[in-house]
Amino acid sequence: MPAEAWLEQAQQRLLAGDALRAHSLLVQGLSEHPDSSALQFALAGLQRQAGDTAAADAQLEAVLAREPGHLAAALQLARSLHDQGRLLAAGTLLRGAFIHAPEEVERRIDAIELLDDGGRQQDAMALCEQAFAAGLDDPRLHVHAAALAAQLGRFELAREHYETVLARSPRVADWHVPLGLSSLQRYRSADHPDFARFRHWLERDDLAPYPRSSLLFALGKAFDDIGEIERAAALLREANAIMRDQLRWQRKAWRRGVEMRLGRGPLPDPGLAPPAWTPVFVVGMPRAGSTLLAERLARHPQVRHRGELPWLPMLASRVGAASSHANMIAAMRDAAHTYARQLLQDDTPVGWYVDKQPNNFLHVDLILALFPNARIVHCRREARDNALSLWMQSFHPGSQDFAYDLGDIATVMRDARRMMAHWQTRYPHAVRTVDYEALVTDPDACTGSLAHWLGLPEAAPHASADTAALSTASLWQARQPVYRSSVERWRRYAPVIPELERLRVD
């Protein structure tokens, strides 16, 4: 029977809900057609659904050994490697696979997004450059290339790609190109062509709410750069109002979650020994200096900065959903294993690893149960400066949805400080607070003291961590010389945003 017939029969059984019979048919088909990539690819999918990752990966590797340009297999295997923390291997795999399919756009974009999500911006950028070298000129690839170049600190290259998109696509607002452009520099004059562009696009009457808010944030940031505070504040008010209406962040639900955590007793001991390496969690409110601090720590040759990993909140949910003590212990051990793979990954090992996901302040008890030698660095900033910085920033929906209302910001900031005071009392040996104002006043002394607390050995630091990608809202600022102009910045805005004067978190 032809391989296609075996595949069709297996698909019919799978549609009927009989995965076991579908698996059997694929195995039989492969015994007759051992070189059938279609049968092997289908079998890999069934094996992955059944939880047999190793067998599924082996099937995909066999497919790729036979057909190096089988992009569906390459992407599926890369996703598996991503979930295993083998991100270096995933990048190498995808860069090789697309050499054999240079004309493919849609799957290339999927691969770029996968690598970007996994912190492999250099590999993702290489996929863009492969495409351009092969003559592909899809505007979406230029949007991705611009964002990746910005994360890598290549701001002039990022602007070149954004300019290409501007010249070739009417969808610049939908793709948030104005916001990307505004993040690449500090404007010096309203004569810069971006001002006219932003105003022109705002005149469109067909903009959806999110693209419109993105444009308003971009133009508001530009006017702030040149010191036109009233115009900036008016634009930012409108932008925040749009996002607040779209997202409708639930303050009551947030407060319930915080009170539950504050009232919870210690987690059970899963019996895990401290690892040979030290996980460092930089937590606190966003826009409180965490990017700057993590970037400076990463200049030490024994420190690896992993950015804002998304894994811990998901793992905390799994632990919290455990139905018994035994299940919770098992979930905690699995969480430690899963998280460690994502932190260590498969590049050159070091002794200290930094995760600067700010909202991990909610999970300090879980962190220290999983990794008894973990260190928690709490970034704290003057409340009104922190609130203003948040309110002026556009975030991806689902990340910091409270940030569009100063009252909501004050609520989260107040609760973050309560949580950190709680953890400081419970785990005084493992928690240290770093004030933003001290960091920008004397960054060397601040990071030196922190390095000593972390137990970092004496070593000549890298001159800069610019080779590491930054994917946070501070990607441009963090690569500039440290400056103090953001200290007490809120006073410039108080006359036009009087809510700042009234904002209290103590």
Side-chain angles (χ1 to χ4, degrees):
M1 187 164 62
E4 293 78 7
W6 285 107
L7 183 61
E8 183 178 353
Q9 287 190 24
Q11 289 171 338
Q12 289 173 353
R13 297 316 309 159
L14 191 60
L15 288 171
D18 189 353
L20 190 62
R21 179 57 180 158
H23 182 280
S24 177
L25 287 166
L26 291 172
V27 171
Q28 291 178 60
L30 276 170
S31 68
E32 289 188 15
H33 305 279
D35 292 334
S36 171
S37 295
L39 289 172
Q40 276 192 304
F41 182 72
L43 182 58
L46 277 181
Q47 289 169 329
R48 193 170 309 284
Q49 288 179 23
D52 194 348
T53 298
D57 288 355
Q59 296 289 352
L60 295 172
E61 287 168 358
V63 170
L64 290 167
R66 188 184 309 113
E67 297 182 39
H70 194 301
L71 297 185
L75 276 165
Q76 193 173 117
L77 181 55
R79 291 188 182 100
S80 178
L81 294 171
H82 173 281
D83 292 345
Q84 298 170 46
R86 297 174 58 194
L87 294 156
L88 179 63
T92 302
L93 167 69
L94 290 172
R95 288 174 69 164
F98 280 92
I99 290 174
H100 300 278
E103 75 289 344
E104 175 63 42
V105 174
E106 300 301 330
R107 285 195 172 113
R108 187 181 292 269
I109 289 174
D110 289 342
I112 289 167
E113 292 175 346
L114 176 67
L115 293 171
D116 187 13
D117 177 63
R120 301 297 304 180
Q121 283 81 12
Q122 293 278 13
D123 289 324
M125 190 66 180
L127 289 185
C128 293
E129 290 168 346
Q130 276 183 3
F132 301 141
L136 295 181
D137 207 25
D138 192 296
R140 294 170 297 171
L141 290 172
H142 285 284
V143 172
H144 281 291
L148 290 164
Q151 291 181 64
L152 293 166
R154 300 166 66 184
F155 299 115
E156 290 302 320
L157 178 61
R159 176 167 283 278
E160 288 176 19
H161 284 293
Y162 279 134
E163 293 287 353
T164 299
V165 178
L166 291 172
R168 299 181 189 176
S169 175
R171 299 192 60 190
V172 290
D174 296 332
W175 292 337
H176 310 294
V177 170
L179 194 62
L181 279 171
S182 71
S183 72
L184 299 178
Q185 66 179 77
R186 178 165 285 116
Y187 294 101
R188 302 299 179 189
S189 166
D191 293 333
H192 193 287
D194 286 352
F195 282 80
R197 286 168 165 168
F198 297 163
R199 288 193 292 260
H200 172 71
W201 291 326
L202 277 172
E203 292 173 359
R204 288 174 47 181
D205 57 9
D206 61 342
L207 287 175
Y210 189 33
R212 180 171 179 80
S213 75
S214 178
L215 257 171
L216 290 162
F217 275 114
L219 187 54
K221 186 265 184 190
F223 276 117
D224 173 74
D225 283 351
I226 64 173
E228 294 200 22
I229 302 302
E230 288 191 29
R231 298 182 74 172
L235 291 159
L236 293 167
R237 275 197 186 279
E238 184 180 350
N240 278 286
I242 291 171
M243 294 304 296
R244 192 164 58 246
D245 184 62
Q246 292 295 306
L247 297 173
R248 298 184 180 277
W249 185 74
Q250 299 297 312
R251 190 185 297 190
K252 288 184 178 179
W254 164 265
R255 295 304 315 280
R256 283 195 299 270
V258 168
E259 296 302 329
M260 179 194 72
R261 285 176 171 83
L262 287 170
R264 185 170 67 189
L267 291 168
D269 182 1
L272 297 168
W277 39 271
T278 302
V280 180
F281 294 84
V282 181
V283 305
M285 291 296 291
R287 310 293 291 173
S290 59
T291 299
L292 174 61
L293 182 64
E295 184 271 340
R296 292 189 69 86
L297 284 175
R299 296 181 183 187
H300 192 288
Q302 273 296 305
V303 175
R304 185 84 74 241
H305 179 203
R306 295 302 190 199
E308 297 182 4
L309 294 178
W311 290 87
L312 196 62
M314 178 188 68
L315 296 170
S317 296
R318 291 182 188 174
V319 171
S323 57
S324 67
H325 178 82
N327 287 344
M328 180 172 283
I329 294 297
M332 291 174 74
R333 290 175 176 170
D334 180 70
H337 177 67
T338 299
Y339 181 82
R341 291 191 307 184
Q342 295 299 323
L343 197 63
L344 298 182
Q345 300 183 19
D346 55 347
D347 50 11
T348 305
V350 295
W352 284 257
Y353 293 88
V354 177
D355 176 352
K356 64 162 290 286
Q357 172 57 252
N359 292 338
N360 282 341
F361 72 81
L362 294 167
H363 309 297
V364 170
D365 54 347
L366 178 62
I367 289 169
L368 290 166
L370 302 183
F371 306 106
N373 65 330
R375 290 295 176 262
I376 315 299
V377 182
H378 171 216
C379 288
R380 182 177 60 191
R381 185 178 183 182
E382 198 282 329
R384 287 162 293 193
D385 278 338
N386 202 166
L388 177 63
S389 185
L390 283 162
W391 189 80
M392 295 179 73
Q393 182 64 47
S394 176
F395 294 95
H396 291 295
S399 60
Q400 313 295 346
D401 291 353
F402 66 89
Y404 305 103
D405 180 275
L406 288 167
D408 291 339
I409 292 171
T411 295
V412 174
M413 195 178 303
R414 187 180 304 115
D415 288 335
R417 294 190 178 192
R418 289 176 64 210
M419 290 289 293
M420 290 312 303
H422 176 71
W423 301 134
Q424 182 79 60
T425 299
R426 185 181 286 184
Y427 310 108
H429 68 286
V431 179
R432 185 182 180 100
T433 296
V434 173
D435 286 320
Y436 175 86
E437 293 74 19
L439 177 62
V440 299
T441 298
D442 193 343
D444 290 338
C446 190
T447 52
S449 175
L450 183 62
H452 178 74
W453 179 73
L454 292 172
L456 284 167
E458 292 289 336
H462 301 303
S464 171
D466 283 357
T467 54
L470 299 175
S471 56
T472 69
S474 307
L475 60 86
W476 185 83
Q477 295 97 317
R479 296 188 188 276
Q480 310 312 308
V482 176
Y483 55 90
R484 297 192 71 254
S485 59
S486 54
V487 175
E488 295 207 333
R489 183 165 172 248
W490 71 272
R491 295 187 185 280
R492 298 170 60 203
Y493 275 86
V496 290
I497 309 175
E499 304 98 306
L500 286 170
E501 190 78 59
R502 300 190 296 268
L503 190 142
R504 296 289 184 274
V505 298
D506 299 324

